Structure formats: structure tokens, C-alpha cells
Amino acid sequence: VKRLALPMALGVLGALDLAACGGAPPPAAPARAAGEGRFGRPQVAPLRYDGAPQNVPSVDAPFRVSAPALGTDVAPDAPKVDSFSLANGLRILVVERHGFPMVAARLAIATSAALENDVGGRRASLLGGVFLSPFEGVVQTSGGCDVTGCFVASRGLSGELPQVLSRVADLAVNPRPDAGVYEQRLAASARVFDASQSPARVTLNALLFGRTHRYGGPSPVSVPTLAELETLRDRAFVPAASTLMVVGDTTLEEVRAHVDSRLAGWTGPTPGPDPRPPEAPREGPRLVFWVSGAIVQVWGQVAARGPAPRDRDFPAVVVLSTLLGGKIDSAIFHHVREDMGAAYTLGSSIDHYADASILAIGGSFDRDQAVDGMRAVLAAIAAARDAEPSADDLARAKAAVLAEYRSAASTDEGLATLLAEGTLVGLGPQIVQERAALVASVTAADVRAAARRYLAPGALRAVLTGKLDYAPELQSLGLGNPVVIDLARYKAQQPP
Amino acid sequence: LEVGLLHRNIGGCAAAVGFVAAVASAPAYAGDRVLPSLPVVRYELGNGLKVLLAPDPSLIDVSVVVHYDVGSADDPPGKNGLAHLVEHLMFDGSRHVAPGDYSRWIARAGGANVNGMTRVDDTNYFVTVPPASLPLIFWLESDRMAFLADRVSSQSINTEVQLISDETRDRVYDRRTGMLASMGRLNLFPREHPYHRDATAVDLMFCGLDDVRAFLRTWYSPSNATIAVAGRFDVAATRSLIDQYFGDLPASPPPQRPALPARWRVHDVRIDAGAGIPSDVVTFMWATPALGQADDAALDLAAEILADPQGRLQHDLVAAGLAVSVDAKEMSSPRASTFAIMAALADGAAPDAVVARIERAVSDLAAGVRLEECKRAQDEAFDRQMLRLEGSLGRATALVETPTAAASWNLGEYDAFGPAQVAAAVRADLVPDRRVVVVMHHDPQYPGRGVVLKTQARLP
């Protein structure tokens, strides 16, 4: 919970010998007497192990031979969601949970209508960075925007509901411009390629949706001025496009009273219809290799476009993703990690937007086994197309999907986030009630059909980031000739 | 997963409490805070296994954390990484659990948050499951506590050594400012101290079957373990299950660790490094009192005050245009803590100016703390504690990390420290002869983790 995520386990290249690193040497250690340590205290003897057994071997017992019976209550009870609306169009969802004296509030703002075709979500990112992030780093309050919408979240003790709602209202209703913050965010957005994983993430979206699509990019777009951002803010942050989630130790009546006094005066234009994004192209390169000398491992991802969250195929795609690598018991995880020793982290994920999703599988590979690891991932995808999963594999994958949902819904903030996501992608708040049944209804045939529909060979795209040593081998992946881009040169050529 | 000194979030300054069968509820805080009632049952089996049960029927799941009092600081000489290797092997099967079946059982049961974590001082294994799957977890955990060695082979060791190498490259070499931690450890702690560690100095190629078996015999026994269960479960049924699965495992007291120096001098080193990071980063680190010792909790509040988004460093560095973000933290650990201040510099800002501002901010804090900023810090710290206790996993983790805390879960402990105590702790502990300063200069020609360019003494 503490905030400074110092990578304390992380080390240097070998022992850090200060005297050998150049520059002025550190002060000489004081002369020490025999038996004294470097710091003038008695030297501590290192622990010694002689390997001699100190204990008595454990004795086996019949009840240890086989596993006890499993429970069947994998899915949590669906929460009861109450709702009401204000005259200005703001919708409020309330879930009462009185087990722990805390409350979480989350305001979701659908902004795609106001931002139109916001390529790569860059304007949204700036909008959130400039107007909704002044409290970044405070445990109670956060905010931001991406291509699916904006959010403001806050939480506190249950007795602090008025303050929690005030913090949300203050950010959403009175977002103030700050030229300094604007400049900082602009500078940060120009450094999108500095993180070692960023090139792969950005490129996958571009390969799957094109460079001018809302979910694609990156594309050289004109950067809005602060004044233009203010105009966008006035158009986007409106009550009629917003839903407020309140979850925790409170009551519907209490929420109603406090919301009314803080948000009933919020006004703004009614947003127009959400423009559908243009059809994404299916042609273009399928394999990109970013040459980067900055990382030792190789980041590799295989991805494909998936259905929108409200599509009837979506639950099957979620289960498919879990089967392929969403959890540590997946076959591909075991094969690539435990059998090959080729990747410490390997998994699958689904990024979902309002009108589409991305299913990605990959991880951080040992550089000597990266191509073999990617080949194994592609083979697992092919196997998913070719045959239905076994009943046991399917049952585990479905249980794992529900476990993830249960875990997310176990905290007030987690449940508020699930409700907000459901609202922004068009599933509605009822998704928290329907999810378990939707997952349970997925059949082995559904999963195979989803694999054939969304993971067809021609639909797959892949991106790798690493050193160039083995680029020629990439042709053997069957994704065509790789487009090879030198990351350092690319960054140097980017406009500010 | 191997992580370092960052040990716990709820500081512990309560006196040691013996492990006796007891049921207690959190007492009402004397001030205006409303504390939740979170009863805890504590007892110890005859073989020394410590048990902590925190039932709460309002939660939707139950979490189990098995804690072994052994960490990477206990790696034998010449066997760096052995504790981490054993943690990996714990997921590879045991006598009655075939290789690969541990994760299959967990998935089938609807398990979440499955992981193991090797730290300098201890090793923890986590899982969250639906309540009815609790017997399965005890079966799995007791089997690998007692019978892991049956499944360990040279092949499984070789595979995990390879994966640990991958993990080190992921988490150290390919991570921004990946060298910061070791810079801190190697310069803040004397060679004799177990925290004087370089995470990349791994000797796993010298670890074999005999080493793993000896390590297991020495440390992986009920006498050296604590099991915490938090969430929705029946106490009586759970006690019965724990007795069944762990009660017949033999006791094996672990070896005593040598005493450590209580205080030592740090040579106020400044290190300049080049790193392919988005902007320059200035980090101050101090060696500070261990978890639960005097000043540890007061330094938590000092960190809150410095890092407050409306506070001193924000004003002096971010609002002044010198930094884009600042943070401060007291990272509490059982044998010593580390206080850190980190600033990511704005474009064009001079690192020396930021170093000077941070020094001045610390000096100002030592001179005096305002009552209102202390109160804000107390509120912030309390909120963090509460957030952690909201879910079952946070509670189970808090239990094993603060086993000697009173039944209040240490909630409200920060209210005992006023402005005078915070300022006094800063004066006593955030001093030049306890610190190291690292300046990482943005330079794309270097890897993101950084390369040391220069070290220099800051004090004569």
C-alpha cells in the first residue's frame, strides 16, 4: 500500500565495487582491529549449513493420498444494484455492502462522442492528464482518460461519503486548466516509446486497426493547445454522458442526499450519438520487429482483433484467452515456461473497447529461445482452432475466469470499476449479475468456433522487441517478412 | 517472484504477544475514528506451527497465506538465490501432487491471486479461493510443506534455474532504474549485514539436489511457519482441518540467526549513473530503524508529509517546475528499514538544484512539523491501513507480516505520534551519515536500468 515502488530487489551488474566504478573513491574505511567488521563492530559470522538433517521425516497418512472434494461455489453472489438519475441526465448506481466501513465512488464519463475519432486515444490521454490527474498519487482519489472514456474515482471511510463525493464532483465539474501540468503531460506523451514494452503495445494496435483508427495509431496528429483542450473538456465532461458508481458501507438514501447537493447543478450539452469507428483494414504488415539494445530479454506478442464486449461471442473469447494463457495452469504456460524454460512471464490478455477487443498472447522470452517460444504460442493457437478443448480444460478455464471476476468484485473499488467498465463498453451495470451465467453457458464448441473466427492465420499479427541477432529466423513464424525498425533511430526521427 | 526489502505496510510497534488461543475484537479507537471489528483467533500447534484466523462472513472469499521465516538473506555462502529457487520448486509438485497439478487444482477450485514471494527476510505463499475449497488448500500446502523433496529432481532444478535467470533479466536488467535497489543495499548496509545484497549475484549454477534438500530440512517445517486464513470460513471447521493436515507434521526448530549490528556508519556516498530513462531521477536513501523500533512509525508519517500532493516536496519541486513527480516512503523491514525520497526531474531541471531542495526539505522537516500536516499524514496512513484490510488477501498478509500486533491490527497506531516525535525522528535518522544519494541522468546510450558513471563522497 505504500506508494514508492522502489524496485528493491533489483540489482546492479555484479557486485557494485565503488572503487572500480571510476570517479573519486569512497572514504577509506577506518583501520579495524582483528575480529572487527568494516564498521568497527564485531564481525557477524555468516550462517553456516552443514546439510545435516535436523528434523524427523514426515510420516505419510491415508488422507494425504488424494485431494479432498472440491467446492462448487466458484461464482460469488451477484450484487444488488440500485439506480436513479438526476434531472441533468447523470445516472447513479449504488451497491450497498455493509461488511467493512469504507465506500468507493467512481464516475465514468463516455467521451468518444465528444472526442470523435481520437486516434490512439491521444487527445483523451491528454485530457485526463491535464484535468483529472492533479490528485495522482493520493490514495483516495485518481482520474484519467483513455480511448473508451474518462473516470474519476475516490474512496474513504464510510463516514466520509460527503468528502468522497465532493472530491469526485470537484474534479469532474470544475476541472481547472494548469499550463504547467499541460506542458508536463505533453512532454510525457512524447516519450511513449521510452518504456521497453511500449513499442510492442503501440505497434500491435496499429497492425490490427491501422494508423488512423480510433484504436490504432500512432499517427502524427496535431496536438491540441490548452485552450482547445478546455473546449474538449466542456464538450466531454457532461452529466448526460456520465454514470456515478457508489459501492460500500452506505445506503441509497444517503447517496441520494449527498449526490443531489453536489452534482445536481452540473450542466452541459447532451452528447450526440457515438460515432462508429471506421472499418479497420485487414491488409498491411503482419510482423514487426523493433530492434532495441536497451533490453536483454525479448518481448513478443501475438494478437488478433476480437469482438466487442457486447457481442455474443465475447464470453467464449474470454474463455479462449484463459485456455491459451490466461492462468498458470494453461497448457501453453506449462510448455513454454516449465518444459522449455523459455519465458518467466507468459500470458494472454484481452483489451476491450466499446466496439472491438484485442486478444494478445505472449511474454518476455529468453533471447535464445524467443523464436521457439513464439512458435510454440502460434502452435497453441492453431491447436485451439483445430480441436475443441477437453471438458476438464474447459471447466478449469471457466472457473479461472470466474475467479478473476470474484477477486475483482471482492473490494468496493473493484466492483465499482467493473460497473464502470460495463457502462463504458455498452454492457450496462447488469453485467455484474449476468457474467457468471454467460461464462457458464460457454461450450467447447463455442470456444473452438471463436478460435476459428478470430484467430484465423490471416488475422494474426505479431510484434517483438529485442536485439537483432536472430531477425532472419522470424520468417519461419509464417507471418511473412518482418518489418524491422530500429527503435533508437525511430525515436530520433519523431516530431516533438 | 523475488522482491526485496519492502516488507510491510502496517508498521508494528506493539509489544510481543504470545501465541495463545484467544479471540479478541478490535477495541474502539479513543479518537474519532470508527474502527471495524475484525476478530482474530491465534494459537499454536504442538509442532510449533503458528495459526492466525480472521473470520469475516461479510467477505465473498477466503485467502490463505503460508509464511516461512526464511528469505534470501538466509542463502548459504556461495549459494545466492537458493531461497528463491526453493520457492519456485514449491509449485512443481510434491509427493501426492504431480508436477503441474498444483496450478490445475487451484484453477479447478476457482483460485485467484496464486503466487509465491521470496523476500530478504521471509517467503510467503498466497492464494484466494471460494470458501468451500479451503480443505484443498490445506491439502496442497501441507503436502508441499512436508513432502516437497520427493519431487525435486536435477531436471526440475535446472528448469527453475533457467526461469530465475529469465526473471532476473525481466525484473532487474530490463526494468527502468533496475540498479537503484542494489545501489542502496550495497551502500547503506555493511557487508556483515544480510541486507548487503546484490540481486544479480546469483550462484544457482552451484545449487544442486543436496542443497535444496538441506535447505528444506532446515527451514521448511511447521516450527518455522505461520499460516494465516482470512475471509469467509467457519472457525471450528477450519481449526479441525488445520489440525488434520498440519498437526502430525514433526517439529524441527530452525537455527538461530546471528546478532546484527544495531547501528553503523554509512559514508554519505553520491552515485551518478547514466540510464535510458525518460528523465533524470534523483533518489535519496537512508538506513533507518527496523520495523517496530522507535522512530519507524514516525518516519512513516514523515514520508507521508514529504510526499503529500499538497505538501512540501510538491511545492518545492513540482510546483517550482523542477520535477514532474516526487515520492517518499519508509520501507520497513524486520532487521532494518530504508527511507527513500525519489524525484523525477522536469526537462531542463538541474539535478544539483533538486538535490539541494530535497536536502533543504528534510532539514526543514527536522526543524519542525505543523500540526495540520501531521494530522493529514495520520489520516492518510490510517486510510492506507484500512484499504489493505478491505479484502481477505490483504488481511491474511497483514496477519503474517504483523503477527505480534495487538488485535487492533495496529489501526490507529500513527495517532500516537505528534509533530514533535516526527521531527525528532527526522533529526535522528535522516542524517548524512546514514544515507546514499543516487542521481540517474537521462542518456539513451545507456540501458534503462542504468550504468554507474561516478561515485563520490559527499562528506569529508
Side-chain angles (χ1 to χ4, degrees):
Chain A
V1 184
K2 289 189 174 184
R3 284 175 295 184
L4 182 62
L6 260 188
M8 293 307 286
L10 314 180
V12 201
L13 304 167
L16 183 64
D17 183 343
L18 294 177
C21 293
R32 70 177 80 144
E36 275 195 343
R38 176 183 169 195
F39 295 86
R41 292 177 177 276
Q43 190 154 18
V44 178
L47 277 176
R48 293 201 176 279
Y49 301 83
D50 56 11
Q54 301 178 30
N55 59 354
V56 180
S58 300
V59 178
D60 210 340
F63 66 85
R64 297 189 182 281
V65 173
S66 56
L70 282 178
T72 55
D73 58 342
V74 173
D77 297 336
K80 177 174 177 288
V81 183
D82 293 310
S83 68
F84 63 95
S85 297
L86 301 184
N88 59 11
L90 175 67
R91 189 177 184 209
I92 297 97
L93 307 176
V94 181
V95 178
E96 295 186 25
R97 300 211 291 197
H98 300 290
F100 196 69
M102 294 203 75
V103 65
R106 190 177 191 91
L107 183 75
I109 309 172
T111 55
S112 53
L115 298 182
E116 296 170 346
N117 190 34
D118 181 21
V119 175
R122 191 170 183 191
R123 275 180 291 167
S125 176
L126 263 181
L127 195 65
V130 171
F131 292 111
L132 300 182
S133 302
F135 289 90
E136 194 173 56
V138 185
V139 66
Q140 301 99 334
T141 307
S142 59
C145 298
D146 62 21
V147 72
T148 58
C150 299
F151 78 96
V152 181
S154 189
R155 54 196 175 187
L157 303 175
S158 47
E160 296 171 347
L161 179 65
Q163 294 94 315
V164 167
L165 292 176
S166 291
R167 289 196 288 261
V168 170
D170 188 47
L171 267 182
V173 180
N174 305 304
R176 291 169 284 274
D178 182 321
V181 172
Y182 170 77
E183 294 297 335
Q184 288 173 16
R185 298 292 168 181
L186 212 54
S189 72
R191 294 179 181 132
V192 64
F193 283 99
D194 282 355
S196 58
Q197 300 168 29
S198 296
R201 289 179 177 158
V202 173
T203 311
L204 269 182
N205 281 57
L207 292 180
L208 292 168
F209 291 98
R211 298 191 71 184
T212 58
H213 192 278
R214 182 191 299 177
Y215 308 139
S219 177
V221 292
S222 60
V223 177
T225 64
L226 183 55
E228 288 168 335
L229 270 185
E230 288 184 73
T231 303
L232 276 178
R233 172 205 62 191
D234 295 340
R235 226 166 53 208
F237 294 178
V238 294
S242 305
T243 307
L244 175 68
M245 273 57 63
V246 183
V247 180
D249 185 25
T250 184
T251 64
L252 181 62
E253 292 70 31
E254 191 179 16
V255 173
R256 197 188 295 270
H258 291 300
V259 163
D260 204 55
S261 62
R262 285 164 180 79
L263 289 161
W266 185 17
T267 59
T270 301
D274 192 359
R276 290 193 66 79
E279 185 62 28
R282 291 286 180 185
E283 66 278 9
R286 299 172 59 201
L287 176 61
V288 168
F289 186 87
W290 287 96
V291 180
S292 170
I295 63 173
V296 179
Q297 294 282 92
V298 175
W299 275 94
Q301 294 273 323
V302 178
R305 282 163 53 185
R310 56 178 177 270
D311 192 291
R312 58 188 300 274
D313 287 343
F314 192 72
V317 171
V318 173
V319 174
L320 170 64
S321 167
T322 302
L323 272 163
L324 284 172
K327 289 291 170 186
I328 62 172
D329 75 314
S330 76
I332 184 67
F333 182 91
H334 275 277
H335 179 55
V336 173
R337 185 184 145 114
E338 305 296 341
D339 298 341
M340 299 174 64
Y344 169 65
T345 55
L346 183 91
S348 63
S349 62
I350 293 185
D351 287 345
H352 54 269
Y353 312 114
D355 304 288
S357 58
I358 293 178
L359 195 169
I361 306 150
S364 173
F365 294 95
D366 180 296
R367 56 186 295 184
D368 295 329
Q369 300 190 75
V371 177
D372 288 341
M374 291 287 280
R375 199 176 285 124
V377 170
L378 289 165
I381 290 171
R385 287 192 306 261
D386 292 344
E388 294 179 2
S390 70
D392 192 44
D393 285 349
L394 181 66
R396 284 204 316 275
K398 288 160 76 168
V401 171
L402 289 176
E404 198 167 331
Y405 163 62
R406 191 191 63 240
S407 183
S410 66
T411 63
D412 295 339
E413 189 186 32
L415 183 55
T417 303
L418 288 174
L419 286 165
E421 287 175 356
T423 301
L424 286 176
V425 300
L427 290 168
Q430 64 273 18
I431 186 60
V432 298
Q433 278 109 10
E434 296 170 353
R435 187 179 302 241
L438 287 171
V439 173
S441 69
V442 172
T443 67
D446 293 337
V447 172
R448 185 186 180 202
R452 293 168 70 91
R453 187 168 302 136
Y454 299 103
L455 299 180
L460 300 178
R461 302 290 186 270
V463 176
L464 293 96
T465 307
K467 293 190 171 69
L468 189 58
D469 312 12
Y470 45 79
E473 291 181 55
L474 294 175
Q475 291 183 353
S476 67
L477 293 178
L479 295 168
N481 290 327
V483 175
V484 180
I485 311 171
D486 184 283
L487 180 59
R489 190 176 300 171
Y490 182 87
K491 283 198 292 189
Q493 291 170 348
Q494 289 302 293
Chain B
L1 178 66
E2 181 178 17
V3 298
L5 298 186
L6 176 56
H7 196 268
R8 73 191 53 167
N9 309 300
I10 298 178
C13 55
V17 175
F19 280 91
V20 293
V23 178
S25 295
Y29 171 60
D32 57 357
R33 303 194 197 284
V34 177
L35 299 184
S37 176
L38 303 174
V40 179
V41 179
R42 305 157 186 268
Y43 62 99
E44 186 172 319
L45 300 187
N47 56 17
L49 178 69
K50 293 171 276 292
V51 182
L52 300 158
L53 307 177
D56 185 344
S58 74
L59 295 177
I60 63 176
D61 52 23
V62 58
S63 290
V64 177
V65 177
V66 180
H67 164 101
Y68 292 93
D69 190 15
V70 59
S72 50
D74 300 303
D75 286 341
K79 309 285 182 186
N80 281 338
L82 182 55
H84 189 194
L85 173 63
V86 168
E87 178 234 298
H88 274 233
L89 292 167
M90 285 281 276
F91 293 88
D92 285 352
S94 44
R95 178 179 295 179
H96 304 104
V97 182
D101 274 3
Y102 177 85
S103 51
R104 291 192 186 99
W105 279 115
I106 295 292
R108 201 171 292 149
N113 307 317
V114 190
N115 214 336
M117 184 183 289
T118 307
R119 300 189 293 191
V120 178
D121 298 289
D122 55 23
T123 308
N124 291 324
Y125 300 88
F126 317 87
V127 69
T128 302
V129 290
S133 295
L134 210 42
L136 175 79
I137 301 307
F138 294 145
W139 177 69
L140 290 166
E141 292 294 352
S142 64
D143 206 62
R144 62 184 185 176
M145 180 184 285
F147 305 109
L148 179 73
D150 288 18
R151 289 282 186 186
V152 178
S153 65
S154 295
Q155 184 182 348
S156 62
I157 289 175
N158 289 342
T159 299
E160 296 306 334
V161 167
Q162 169 68 30
L163 289 172
I164 288 171
S165 299
D166 282 339
E167 180 179 353
T168 303
R169 288 192 287 266
D170 273 358
R171 298 176 62 82
V172 180
Y173 292 118
D174 286 348
R175 187 167 288 198
R176 287 188 198 187
T177 64
M179 63 192 303
L180 252 183
S182 283
M183 283 178 170
R185 287 177 179 184
L186 296 172
N187 288 282
L188 289 175
F189 299 108
R191 289 186 191 280
E192 299 82 5
H193 199 286
Y195 293 171
H196 182 93
R197 288 181 55 81
D198 178 352
T200 63
V202 174
D203 306 319
L204 287 177
M205 64 287 288
F206 304 115
C207 294
L209 259 175
D210 290 344
D211 298 307
V212 170
R213 287 176 176 155
F215 194 88
L216 288 169
R217 282 196 300 268
T218 306
W219 299 109
Y220 274 66
S221 79
S223 315
N224 196 44
T226 302
I227 184 164
V229 185
R232 183 190 287 191
F233 63 93
D234 178 80
V235 170
T238 300
R239 289 188 69 146
S240 173
L241 285 167
I242 289 174
D243 284 348
Q244 176 187 348
Y245 283 103
F246 296 93
D248 66 345
L249 303 183
S252 174
Q256 291 291 312
R257 293 188 175 88
L260 296 172
R263 192 160 175 107
W264 55 92
R265 169 146 187 212
V266 180
H267 288 290
D268 194 21
V269 170
R270 169 169 165 167
I271 300 170
D272 285 80
I277 51 178
S279 63
D280 294 354
V281 174
V282 171
T283 306
F284 279 59
M285 289 176 270
W286 287 265
T288 51
L291 177 75
Q293 290 185 358
D295 288 356
D296 177 46
L299 289 171
D300 276 338
L301 293 178
E304 295 283 2
I305 291 167
L306 286 168
D308 188 328
Q310 299 168 31
R312 296 171 182 241
L313 288 176
Q314 190 77 15
H315 176 269
D316 293 351
L317 293 173
V318 178
L322 291 173
V324 293
S325 67
V326 291
D327 211 338
K329 189 172 194 172
E330 164 81 344
M331 291 169 285
S332 306
S333 289
R335 288 181 264 194
S337 301
T338 304
F339 190 100
I341 297 173
M342 180 184 275
L345 273 58
D347 286 344
D352 287 348
V354 172
V355 169
R357 291 282 181 107
I358 292 175
E359 285 188 302
R360 194 178 74 189
V362 173
S363 175
D364 289 349
L365 199 62
V369 174
R370 293 187 296 275
L371 181 61
E372 67 273 16
E373 61 184 353
C374 188
K375 182 69 171 63
R376 276 176 60 86
Q378 289 169 336
D379 289 346
E380 190 84 4
F382 180 76
D383 282 354
R384 286 181 200 284
Q385 291 177 307
M386 287 289 284
L387 280 172
R388 190 185 195 202
L389 297 180
E390 187 185 358
S392 64
L393 183 59
R395 289 185 203 177
T397 309
L399 283 175
V400 298
E401 290 182 348
T402 325
T404 56
S408 65
W409 301 69
N410 282 348
L411 283 167
E413 68 164 321
Y414 294 108
D415 296 315
F417 297 91
Q421 287 101 322
V422 175
V426 173
R427 282 196 299 276
D429 299 300
L430 303 190
V431 292
D433 71 349
R434 307 289 295 161
R435 79 180 176 193
V436 58
V437 177
V438 180
V439 180
M440 304 199 83
H441 302 272
H442 161 68
D443 191 333
Q445 72 170 307
Y446 297 108
R449 63 185 176 275
V451 169
V452 172
L453 304 174
K454 182 173 67 175
T455 63
Q456 57 187 321
R458 285 177 47 77
L459 285 182

